[in-house]
Amino acid sequence: MKNIKYIYIALTAIILTSCVNDLDVSPIDPDSNNASTVFSTEEGTKGALAKIYSSFAYNGQGDGAEEIQGLREDFGNFLRQYFLLQECTTEEAIVAWDDQTIKNFHYHTWQPNDVFNDAVYSRLFFSVALANEFLRNVGNAAVSDEDKVLFAAEARFLRAFAYSIGVDFYGNIPIIDENSSLSDLPVQSTRAEVFSYVETELTEIESLLAAPQTNEYGRVDRTAAWMLLGKLYLNAEVFIGEDRYSDALTYTNQVIGSGYALDPVYENVFKADNNNSPEIIFPLVFNGVHSQSHGTTFIVQSSSGGGLDVANVRGVGGSGWGGFRAVKELPEKFGLTEGDFSLANPLANIADSRALFYFNSNDAWEWSVENVGTFTEGVGVYKYSNLNSDGSQAEYYNPDFVSIDFPVFRLADAYLMYAEIFLRGGGGDANTARGYINDLRQRAYGDASGNITNADLTLDFILEERGREFYWEAQRRTDLIRFGKYSSGSYVWEWKGNSQTGTGFDDYRALFPIPAAQITANPNLLQNDGYTN
């Protein structure tokens, strides 16, 4: 896999369909795609591995066909729905569209029959099914013994990544691996059991993965496993009610010492050529010409419109889809007000270069969201751009699809994780924590004017700084839950809890429901507390 942007195109080497109800998989063409054929060549084996990676980024085979029955190819993109559930349930995003139940996520009124929630659950177990099928067959693959071990470790990482989202979103879900029966309905595991499974998988494979920064771009190395373990332990108090902060520190330190570096320019982490960024540890890879998908394309196009110069700011064609924007509480984290924007300067221009917002009252924009269905009520976000870091057109330019890779893990996260772990009593020291934060803020400000002191180090500051650093990176819901702010009536934003001024909502919504269709199909599954099928 010289370039995984192209390898994602060669996925027809193994085209699998998932029966989501019983989580079985089978090749769609026994004559040309059975295991003995696919794994009989190195190219086929790599294609099978690439298929697992692509399940988090792509929607199918690019021919419009459903990869999972009932999930339209563009609608069923994992990143598209993951972004919705992680961002639109927080102060970082709100959507104008009336697509089915989409507004319910910002209102916190979703139900077990929600199609968007069902899409995420189905995609996660589709990825698990692909990994399991790969692991059943890689032992007989026509590759070296060394590659068999490496490829299997990567497949197990991707399966663990899917389960780490499952333990966060749903809690009690089935654990299905390559040794599970394909004829029996899966049995539900507890959240603690799923947590332990992810932990065990990652600790077993960390030494089997490629050494830091030695794998091909787009494929994971040991640093990705350390990062996922660090994040798992950081959230352990939420997931299993245990303090694992010292373990989180151990793996966070390993990430920081693994050789990745901060990108000198914050915006470049989100540009079309961000495959050159030294900061990104684990990306979902996209290419507007060779592998078109509604992943980062969805993020860019859905947030464009309202008078924004789409071509010169976002690097795409058309006028935008006019869907997602932020509520005022997000730009206010940067100290921005409506008066900081003007017709002459509709893009935020403050010392903190992370404030990538658009607002222009002359284009009928309103700072406060009175009508959720009006895109120009709220504040535009242009964090992702399909231009290169030097402002030139993307190498693989397509006016309708972008080539921006999505940074699942990046080094800056480890810096803020260290500071949070220190404040939560997991170890470390204040000077190091402050230094890591100031490294991020000096990049943002261009100098030391935004630096903090040890006295500024509080958990409230960390939560706000995570909002400034990682908005629109599908992290906010998890962060708010960990900090006890998600459902709280004392930490509100516009339309939280289906109130224009914001209100608290039921704590049980920290977990999403097991989709009603899954429970109907599998009597072994019980619904999460608070939800009624």
Side-chain angles (χ1 to χ4, degrees), residues 339-418:
D340 292 315
F341 301 84
S342 66
L343 177 63
N345 186 23
L347 305 182
N349 184 20
I350 60 173
D352 192 335
S353 64
R354 298 172 296 186
L356 301 171
F357 302 109
Y358 172 87
F359 182 84
N360 193 340
S361 58
N362 291 282
D363 285 322
W365 281 81
E366 298 290 340
W367 191 251
S368 187
V369 180
E370 298 287 341
N371 182 355
V372 175
T374 302
F375 174 67
T376 51
E377 293 187 14
V379 182
V381 178
Y382 68 96
K383 181 170 181 173
Y384 296 83
S385 172
N386 197 41
L387 298 171
N388 288 325
S389 53
D390 63 1
S392 63
Q393 190 176 84
E395 179 181 2
Y396 300 104
Y397 174 74
N398 182 322
D400 300 318
F401 293 91
V402 307
S403 296
I404 310 165
D405 299 338
F406 183 81
V408 179
F409 298 153
R410 59 186 180 94
L411 182 63
D413 199 355
Y415 282 14
L416 281 171
M417 287 167 62
Y418 180 100

Coordinates of all heavy atoms in Angstrom, one line a residue, residues 339-418:
G339 N -20.0 41.9 17.4 CA -19.4 43.1 16.9 C -18.0 42.8 16.4 O -17.4 43.8 15.8
D340 N -17.4 41.6 16.6 CA -16.1 41.4 16.0 C -16.1 41.0 14.6 O -15.0 40.8 14.0 CB -15.5 40.2 16.8 CG -15.2 40.6 18.3 OD1 -14.6 41.7 18.5 OD2 -15.5 39.8 19.2
F341 N -17.2 41.0 13.9 CA -17.4 40.7 12.5 C -18.0 41.9 11.8 O -18.7 42.6 12.4 CB -18.2 39.4 12.3 CG -17.8 38.2 13.0 CD1 -18.1 37.9 14.3 CD2 -17.0 37.2 12.3 CE1 -17.7 36.8 14.9 CE2 -16.6 36.1 12.9 CZ -16.9 35.8 14.2
S342 N -17.6 42.0 10.5 CA -18.2 43.1 9.7 C -18.3 42.7 8.3 O -17.8 41.6 7.9 CB -17.3 44.3 9.8 OG -16.0 44.1 9.2
L343 N -19.0 43.5 7.5 CA -19.1 43.2 6.0 C -17.7 43.1 5.4 O -17.4 42.2 4.6 CB -19.9 44.3 5.3 CG -20.0 44.1 3.8 CD1 -20.8 42.8 3.4 CD2 -20.8 45.3 3.2
A344 N -16.8 44.0 5.8 CA -15.4 44.0 5.3 C -14.6 42.8 5.8 O -13.7 42.4 5.2 CB -14.7 45.3 5.6
N345 N -15.0 42.3 7.0 CA -14.2 41.2 7.6 C -15.2 40.2 8.2 O -15.3 40.1 9.4 CB -13.2 41.8 8.7 CG -12.3 40.7 9.2 OD1 -12.1 39.7 8.5 ND2 -11.9 40.9 10.4
P346 N -15.8 39.4 7.4 CA -16.8 38.4 7.9 C -16.1 37.2 8.5 O -16.8 36.4 9.1 CB -17.6 38.0 6.6 CG -16.6 38.2 5.5 CD -15.8 39.4 5.9
L347 N -14.8 37.1 8.3 CA -14.1 36.0 9.0 C -13.4 36.5 10.3 O -12.9 37.6 10.3 CB -13.0 35.4 8.0 CG -13.4 35.0 6.6 CD1 -12.2 34.4 5.9 CD2 -14.5 33.9 6.7
A348 N -13.5 35.6 11.3 CA -13.0 36.0 12.6 C -11.5 36.4 12.5 O -10.8 35.7 11.8 CB -13.2 34.9 13.6
N349 N -11.1 37.5 13.1 CA -9.7 37.9 13.0 C -9.3 38.4 14.4 O -9.3 39.5 14.7 CB -9.6 39.0 12.0 CG -8.1 39.4 11.8 OD1 -7.2 38.7 12.1 ND2 -7.9 40.6 11.3
I350 N -8.9 37.4 15.2 CA -8.4 37.7 16.6 C -7.1 37.0 16.7 O -6.6 36.3 15.9 CB -9.4 37.2 17.6 CG1 -9.6 35.7 17.5 CG2 -10.8 37.9 17.5 CD1 -10.5 35.1 18.7
A351 N -6.5 37.2 17.9 CA -5.1 36.7 18.1 C -5.1 35.2 18.1 O -4.1 34.6 17.6 CB -4.6 37.2 19.5
D352 N -6.1 34.6 18.6 CA -6.2 33.1 18.6 C -6.6 32.6 17.2 O -7.7 32.7 16.8 CB -7.2 32.6 19.6 CG -7.1 31.1 19.9 OD1 -6.6 30.4 19.0 OD2 -7.5 30.7 21.0
S353 N -5.6 32.0 16.4 CA -5.8 31.6 15.1 C -6.7 30.4 14.9 O -7.1 30.0 13.8 CB -4.5 31.4 14.4 OG -3.8 30.3 15.0
R354 N -7.1 29.8 16.0 CA -8.0 28.6 16.0 C -9.4 29.0 15.7 O -10.3 28.2 15.5 CB -7.9 27.8 17.3 CG -6.5 27.2 17.5 CD -6.4 26.6 18.9 NE -6.6 27.6 20.0 CZ -6.4 27.3 21.3 NH1 -6.1 26.1 21.7 NH2 -6.6 28.3 22.2
A355 N -9.7 30.3 15.9 CA -11.1 30.8 15.8 C -11.5 31.0 14.3 O -11.4 32.0 13.7 CB -11.2 32.1 16.5
L356 N -11.9 29.9 13.7 CA -12.1 29.8 12.2 C -13.7 29.9 12.0 O -14.3 28.9 11.7 CB -11.5 28.6 11.6 CG -10.0 28.4 11.8 CD1 -9.5 27.1 11.4 CD2 -9.3 29.6 11.1
F357 N -14.2 31.1 12.2 CA -15.6 31.4 12.2 C -16.0 32.4 11.1 O -15.2 33.3 10.8 CB -16.1 31.8 13.5 CG -15.8 30.8 14.6 CD1 -14.9 31.1 15.6 CD2 -16.5 29.6 14.7 CE1 -14.6 30.2 16.6 CE2 -16.2 28.7 15.7 CZ -15.3 29.0 16.7
Y358 N -17.2 32.3 10.7 CA -17.7 33.2 9.7 C -19.1 33.8 10.2 O -19.9 33.0 10.6 CB -18.0 32.5 8.3 CG -18.7 33.4 7.3 CD1 -18.0 34.2 6.4 CD2 -20.1 33.3 7.2 CE1 -18.7 35.0 5.5 CE2 -20.8 34.1 6.2 CZ -20.0 34.9 5.4 OH -20.7 35.7 4.5
F359 N -19.2 35.1 10.1 CA -20.5 35.8 10.5 C -20.6 37.1 9.8 O -19.6 37.9 9.8 CB -20.5 36.0 12.0 CG -21.8 36.6 12.5 CD1 -22.9 35.8 12.7 CD2 -21.9 37.9 12.7 CE1 -24.1 36.3 13.2 CE2 -23.1 38.5 13.1 CZ -24.2 37.7 13.4
N360 N -21.8 37.4 9.3 CA -21.9 38.7 8.6 C -23.4 39.1 8.6 O -24.2 38.5 8.0 CB -21.5 38.6 7.1 CG -21.4 39.9 6.4 OD1 -21.9 40.9 6.9 ND2 -20.6 39.9 5.3
S361 N -23.7 40.1 9.4 CA -25.1 40.5 9.6 C -25.6 41.1 8.3 O -26.8 41.1 8.1 CB -25.2 41.5 10.7 OG -24.4 42.7 10.4
N362 N -24.7 41.5 7.4 CA -25.2 42.0 6.1 C -25.7 40.9 5.2 O -26.3 41.2 4.2 CB -24.1 42.8 5.4 CG -23.8 44.1 6.2 OD1 -24.5 45.1 6.1 ND2 -22.7 44.1 7.0
D363 N -25.3 39.7 5.5 CA -25.9 38.5 4.7 C -27.0 37.9 5.5 O -27.3 36.7 5.4 CB -24.8 37.5 4.5 CG -23.8 38.0 3.4 OD1 -24.3 38.6 2.4 OD2 -22.6 37.8 3.5
A364 N -27.7 38.7 6.4 CA -28.8 38.2 7.1 C -28.5 37.2 8.2 O -29.3 36.5 8.7 CB -29.9 37.7 6.2
W365 N -27.2 37.2 8.7 CA -26.8 36.3 9.8 C -27.3 36.9 11.1 O -27.3 38.1 11.3 CB -25.3 36.1 9.8 CG -24.8 35.1 8.8 CD1 -24.5 35.3 7.5 CD2 -24.5 33.7 9.0 NE1 -24.1 34.2 6.9 CE2 -24.0 33.2 7.8 CE3 -24.5 32.9 10.2 CZ2 -23.7 31.9 7.7 CZ3 -24.2 31.6 10.0 CH2 -23.7 31.1 8.8
E366 N -27.8 36.0 12.0 CA -28.2 36.4 13.3 C -27.3 35.7 14.3 O -27.2 34.4 14.2 CB -29.7 36.1 13.5 CG -30.6 36.9 12.6 CD -30.7 38.4 12.9 OE1 -30.3 38.8 14.0 OE2 -31.1 39.1 12.0
W367 N -26.8 36.4 15.3 CA -25.9 35.8 16.3 C -26.6 34.7 17.1 O -26.1 33.6 17.4 CB -25.4 36.8 17.3 CG -24.3 36.4 18.1 CD1 -24.3 36.3 19.5 CD2 -22.9 36.2 17.8 NE1 -23.1 35.9 20.0 CE2 -22.2 35.9 19.0 CE3 -22.2 36.2 16.6 CZ2 -20.8 35.6 19.0 CZ3 -20.8 35.9 16.6 CH2 -20.2 35.6 17.7
S368 N -27.9 34.9 17.5 CA -28.6 34.0 18.3 C -29.5 33.1 17.4 O -30.0 33.6 16.4 CB -29.5 34.7 19.3 OG -30.1 33.8 20.2
V369 N -29.8 31.9 17.7 CA -30.6 31.0 16.9 C -32.0 31.0 17.5 O -32.3 30.4 18.5 CB -30.0 29.5 16.9 CG1 -30.9 28.6 16.1 CG2 -28.6 29.5 16.4
E370 N -32.9 31.7 16.8 CA -34.3 31.7 17.1 C -35.0 30.6 16.3 O -35.8 29.9 16.9 CB -34.9 33.1 16.8 CG -34.4 34.2 17.5 CD -34.8 34.3 19.0 OE1 -35.8 33.6 19.3 OE2 -34.1 34.9 19.8
N371 N -34.7 30.5 15.1 CA -35.3 29.4 14.2 C -34.2 28.5 13.8 O -33.3 28.8 13.0 CB -35.9 30.1 13.0 CG -36.5 29.1 12.1 OD1 -36.5 27.9 12.3 ND2 -37.2 29.6 11.0
V372 N -34.2 27.3 14.4 CA -33.2 26.3 14.1 C -33.1 25.9 12.7 O -32.0 25.6 12.2 CB -33.4 25.0 15.0 CG1 -32.4 23.9 14.6 CG2 -33.4 25.3 16.5
G373 N -34.2 26.0 11.9 CA -34.2 25.7 10.5 C -33.6 26.7 9.6 O -33.5 26.5 8.4
T374 N -33.1 27.9 10.1 CA -32.5 28.9 9.3 C -31.0 28.8 9.5 O -30.5 29.1 10.5 CB -33.0 30.3 9.7 OG1 -34.4 30.3 9.6 CG2 -32.4 31.4 8.9
F375 N -30.3 28.5 8.4 CA -28.9 28.3 8.5 C -28.1 29.5 8.9 O -27.1 29.4 9.6 CB -28.3 27.8 7.1 CG -26.8 27.7 7.0 CD1 -26.2 26.7 7.7 CD2 -26.1 28.6 6.2 CE1 -24.8 26.6 7.7 CE2 -24.7 28.5 6.1 CZ -24.1 27.5 6.8
T376 N -28.6 30.7 8.5 CA -27.9 31.9 8.9 C -28.2 32.5 10.2 O -27.8 33.6 10.6 CB -28.1 33.0 7.8 OG1 -29.6 33.1 7.6 CG2 -27.5 32.7 6.5
E377 N -28.8 31.7 11.1 CA -28.9 32.0 12.5 C -27.9 31.1 13.2 O -28.0 29.9 13.2 CB -30.3 31.8 13.0 CG -31.3 32.8 12.4 CD -32.7 32.7 13.0 OE1 -32.9 32.0 14.1 OE2 -33.7 33.2 12.4
G378 N -26.9 31.7 13.8 CA -25.8 31.0 14.4 C -24.5 31.6 13.8 O -24.5 32.7 13.3
V379 N -23.5 30.8 13.9 CA -22.1 31.3 13.4 C -21.5 30.2 12.5 O -21.5 29.0 12.9 CB -21.2 31.6 14.6 CG1 -19.9 32.1 14.1 CG2 -21.9 32.6 15.6
G380 N -21.1 30.6 11.3 CA -20.5 29.7 10.4 C -19.1 29.2 10.9 O -18.4 30.0 11.5
V381 N -18.8 28.0 10.5 CA -17.5 27.4 10.9 C -16.8 27.0 9.6 O -17.4 26.2 8.8 CB -17.7 26.2 11.8 CG1 -16.3 25.5 12.1 CG2 -18.4 26.6 13.1
Y382 N -15.5 27.4 9.4 CA -14.8 27.0 8.2 C -13.5 26.4 8.5 O -12.5 26.5 7.8 CB -14.6 28.2 7.2 CG -13.7 29.3 7.7 CD1 -12.3 29.4 7.3 CD2 -14.2 30.3 8.5 CE1 -11.5 30.4 7.8 CE2 -13.3 31.3 9.0 CZ -12.0 31.4 8.6 OH -11.2 32.4 9.1
K383 N -13.5 25.6 9.6 CA -12.2 25.0 10.1 C -11.6 24.1 9.0 O -10.4 24.0 8.9 CB -12.6 24.2 11.3 CG -11.4 23.5 12.0 CD -11.8 22.9 13.4 CE -10.6 22.2 14.0 NZ -10.9 21.8 15.4
Y384 N -12.4 23.3 8.3 CA -11.8 22.4 7.2 C -11.9 23.1 5.9 O -12.9 23.7 5.5 CB -12.7 21.1 7.2 CG -12.6 20.3 8.4 CD1 -13.4 20.6 9.5 CD2 -11.7 19.2 8.6 CE1 -13.4 19.9 10.7 CE2 -11.7 18.5 9.7 CZ -12.5 18.8 10.8 OH -12.4 18.1 11.9
S385 N -10.8 23.0 5.1 CA -10.7 23.6 3.8 C -10.0 22.7 2.8 O -9.0 22.1 3.1 CB -9.9 24.9 3.9 OG -9.7 25.5 2.6
N386 N -10.6 22.6 1.6 CA -10.1 21.7 0.6 C -9.0 22.4 -0.2 O -8.7 22.1 -1.4 CB -11.2 21.2 -0.3 CG -10.8 20.0 -1.2 OD1 -10.1 19.2 -0.7 ND2 -11.2 20.0 -2.4
L387 N -8.4 23.5 0.3 CA -7.2 24.1 -0.2 C -6.0 23.5 0.4 O -6.0 23.0 1.5 CB -7.3 25.6 0.0 CG -8.4 26.3 -0.7 CD1 -8.5 27.8 -0.2 CD2 -8.4 26.3 -2.2
N388 N -4.8 23.6 -0.3 CA -3.6 23.2 0.3 C -3.1 24.2 1.3 O -3.6 25.3 1.4 CB -2.5 23.0 -0.8 CG -2.8 21.8 -1.6 OD1 -3.3 20.7 -1.1 ND2 -2.4 21.9 -2.9
S389 N -2.1 23.8 2.1 CA -1.6 24.7 3.2 C -1.0 26.0 2.6 O -1.0 27.0 3.3 CB -0.6 24.0 4.0 OG 0.4 23.4 3.2
D390 N -0.6 26.0 1.4 CA -0.1 27.3 0.8 C -1.2 28.0 0.0 O -0.9 29.0 -0.6 CB 1.1 27.0 -0.2 CG 0.7 26.1 -1.4 OD1 -0.5 25.7 -1.5 OD2 1.6 25.8 -2.2
G391 N -2.4 27.6 0.1 CA -3.5 28.3 -0.5 C -3.8 27.8 -1.9 O -4.8 28.3 -2.5
S392 N -3.0 26.9 -2.4 CA -3.3 26.4 -3.8 C -4.4 25.4 -3.8 O -4.8 24.9 -2.8 CB -2.0 25.8 -4.4 OG -1.6 24.7 -3.6
Q393 N -4.8 25.1 -5.0 CA -5.9 24.1 -5.2 C -5.4 22.7 -4.8 O -4.2 22.4 -5.0 CB -6.3 24.1 -6.7 CG -7.6 23.3 -6.9 CD -8.0 23.4 -8.4 OE1 -7.5 22.8 -9.3 NE2 -8.9 24.4 -8.6
A394 N -6.3 21.9 -4.3 CA -5.9 20.5 -3.9 C -5.4 19.8 -5.1 O -5.8 19.9 -6.2 CB -7.1 19.8 -3.3
E395 N -4.4 18.9 -4.8 CA -3.8 18.1 -5.9 C -4.8 17.3 -6.6 O -4.8 17.2 -7.8 CB -2.6 17.3 -5.3 CG -2.0 16.4 -6.4 CD -0.9 15.5 -5.8 OE1 -0.7 15.5 -4.5 OE2 -0.2 14.8 -6.6
Y396 N -5.7 16.7 -5.8 CA -6.8 15.9 -6.3 C -8.1 16.6 -6.2 O -8.9 16.3 -5.4 CB -6.8 14.5 -5.6 CG -5.5 13.7 -5.8 CD1 -4.6 13.7 -4.7 CD2 -5.2 13.1 -7.0 CE1 -3.4 13.0 -4.8 CE2 -4.0 12.5 -7.1 CZ -3.1 12.4 -6.1 OH -1.9 11.7 -6.2
Y397 N -8.2 17.7 -7.0 CA -9.3 18.6 -6.9 C -10.6 18.0 -7.5 O -10.5 17.5 -8.6 CB -9.0 19.9 -7.5 CG -10.2 20.9 -7.5 CD1 -10.7 21.5 -6.3 CD2 -10.9 21.1 -8.7 CE1 -11.8 22.3 -6.3 CE2 -12.0 21.9 -8.7 CZ -12.4 22.5 -7.5 OH -13.5 23.4 -7.5
N398 N -11.7 18.1 -6.8 CA -13.0 17.8 -7.3 C -13.9 18.8 -6.7 O -13.9 19.0 -5.5 CB -13.4 16.4 -6.9 CG -14.7 16.0 -7.5 OD1 -15.7 16.7 -7.5 ND2 -14.8 14.7 -7.9
P399 N -14.7 19.5 -7.5 CA -15.6 20.6 -6.9 C -16.6 20.0 -5.9 O -17.2 20.8 -5.1 CB -16.2 21.2 -8.1 CG -16.2 20.2 -9.2 CD -14.9 19.5 -8.9
D400 N -16.9 18.7 -6.0 CA -18.0 18.1 -5.2 C -17.5 17.3 -4.1 O -18.2 17.0 -3.1 CB -18.9 17.3 -6.1 CG -19.5 18.1 -7.2 OD1 -20.0 19.2 -6.9 OD2 -19.6 17.6 -8.4
F401 N -16.2 16.8 -4.1 CA -15.7 16.0 -3.0 C -14.3 16.5 -2.6 O -13.5 16.9 -3.5 CB -15.6 14.5 -3.5 CG -16.9 13.9 -3.8 CD1 -17.5 13.9 -5.0 CD2 -17.6 13.2 -2.8 CE1 -18.7 13.3 -5.3 CE2 -18.8 12.6 -3.0 CZ -19.4 12.7 -4.3
V402 N -14.0 16.4 -1.3 CA -12.8 16.9 -0.8 C -11.7 15.9 -0.6 O -12.0 14.7 -0.6 CB -13.0 17.7 0.5 CG1 -14.1 18.8 0.3 CG2 -13.3 16.8 1.6
S403 N -10.5 16.3 -0.4 CA -9.3 15.4 -0.2 C -8.7 15.7 1.2 O -7.6 15.4 1.5 CB -8.3 15.6 -1.2 OG -8.7 15.3 -2.5
I404 N -9.6 16.1 2.2 CA -9.1 16.4 3.5 C -9.2 15.1 4.4 O -10.2 14.5 4.5 CB -9.9 17.5 4.2 CG1 -10.1 18.7 3.3 CG2 -9.4 17.9 5.6 CD1 -11.2 19.6 3.7
D405 N -8.1 14.7 4.9 CA -8.1 13.6 5.8 C -8.6 14.0 7.2 O -8.3 15.1 7.7 CB -6.7 13.0 6.0 CG -6.1 12.5 4.7 OD1 -7.0 12.2 3.7 OD2 -4.9 12.4 4.5
F406 N -9.4 13.1 7.9 CA -10.0 13.5 9.2 C -9.0 13.0 10.3 O -8.7 11.8 10.4 CB -11.3 12.8 9.3 CG -12.0 13.2 10.6 CD1 -12.7 14.4 10.7 CD2 -12.0 12.4 11.7 CE1 -13.3 14.8 11.9 CE2 -12.6 12.7 12.9 CZ -13.2 13.9 13.0
P407 N -8.6 13.9 11.1 CA -7.6 13.5 12.2 C -8.3 12.9 13.4 O -8.8 13.6 14.3 CB -7.0 14.9 12.6 CG -8.0 15.9 12.3 CD -8.8 15.4 11.1
V408 N -8.4 11.6 13.4 CA -9.0 10.9 14.5 C -8.2 11.1 15.8 O -8.7 11.5 16.9 CB -9.1 9.4 14.2 CG1 -9.7 8.6 15.4 CG2 -10.0 9.1 13.0
F409 N -6.9 10.9 15.7 CA -5.9 11.2 16.8 C -4.9 12.1 16.3 O -4.3 11.9 15.2 CB -5.3 9.9 17.3 CG -6.2 8.8 17.8 CD1 -5.8 7.5 17.8 CD2 -7.4 9.1 18.4 CE1 -6.6 6.5 18.3 CE2 -8.2 8.2 19.0 CZ -7.8 6.8 18.9
R410 N -4.6 13.1 17.1 CA -3.4 14.0 16.8 C -2.7 14.3 18.1 O -3.3 14.3 19.2 CB -3.8 15.2 16.0 CG -4.8 16.1 16.7 CD -5.2 17.2 15.7 NE -6.2 18.2 16.2 CZ -5.9 19.3 16.8 NH1 -4.6 19.7 16.9 NH2 -6.9 20.2 17.2
L411 N -1.5 14.7 18.0 CA -0.6 14.9 19.2 C -1.1 16.0 20.1 O -1.0 15.8 21.4 CB 0.8 15.3 18.7 CG 1.9 15.5 19.8 CD1 2.1 14.2 20.6 CD2 3.1 16.1 19.3
A412 N -1.8 17.0 19.6 CA -2.3 18.0 20.5 C -3.2 17.5 21.6 O -3.2 18.0 22.7 CB -3.0 19.1 19.7
D413 N -3.9 16.4 21.3 CA -4.8 15.8 22.2 C -4.1 15.2 23.4 O -4.5 15.4 24.5 CB -5.6 14.7 21.5 CG -6.9 14.3 22.3 OD1 -7.1 14.8 23.4 OD2 -7.7 13.5 21.7
A414 N -2.9 14.6 23.1 CA -2.1 14.0 24.2 C -1.6 15.1 25.1 O -1.5 14.9 26.3 CB -1.0 13.2 23.6
Y415 N -1.3 16.3 24.6 CA -0.9 17.4 25.4 C -2.0 17.8 26.4 O -1.7 18.0 27.6 CB -0.5 18.6 24.6 CG 0.8 18.5 23.9 CD1 1.6 17.3 23.8 CD2 1.4 19.7 23.3 CE1 2.8 17.3 23.2 CE2 2.6 19.6 22.7 CZ 3.3 18.4 22.6 OH 4.5 18.4 22.0
L416 N -3.2 18.0 25.9 CA -4.3 18.4 26.8 C -4.7 17.2 27.7 O -5.2 17.4 28.9 CB -5.4 18.9 26.0 CG -5.2 20.4 25.6 CD1 -6.3 20.8 24.6 CD2 -5.2 21.3 26.8
M417 N -4.6 16.0 27.3 CA -4.9 14.8 28.1 C -3.9 14.8 29.3 O -4.3 14.6 30.4 CB -4.7 13.5 27.3 CG -5.9 13.3 26.3 SD -5.6 12.0 25.1 CE -5.3 10.6 26.2
Y418 N -2.6 15.1 29.1 CA -1.6 15.1 30.2 C -2.1 16.1 31.2 O -2.1 15.8 32.4 CB -0.3 15.5 29.6 CG 0.8 15.5 30.7 CD1 1.7 14.4 30.9 CD2 1.0 16.6 31.5 CE1 2.7 14.5 31.8 CE2 1.9 16.6 32.5 CZ 2.8 15.6 32.7 OH 3.7 15.6 33.7

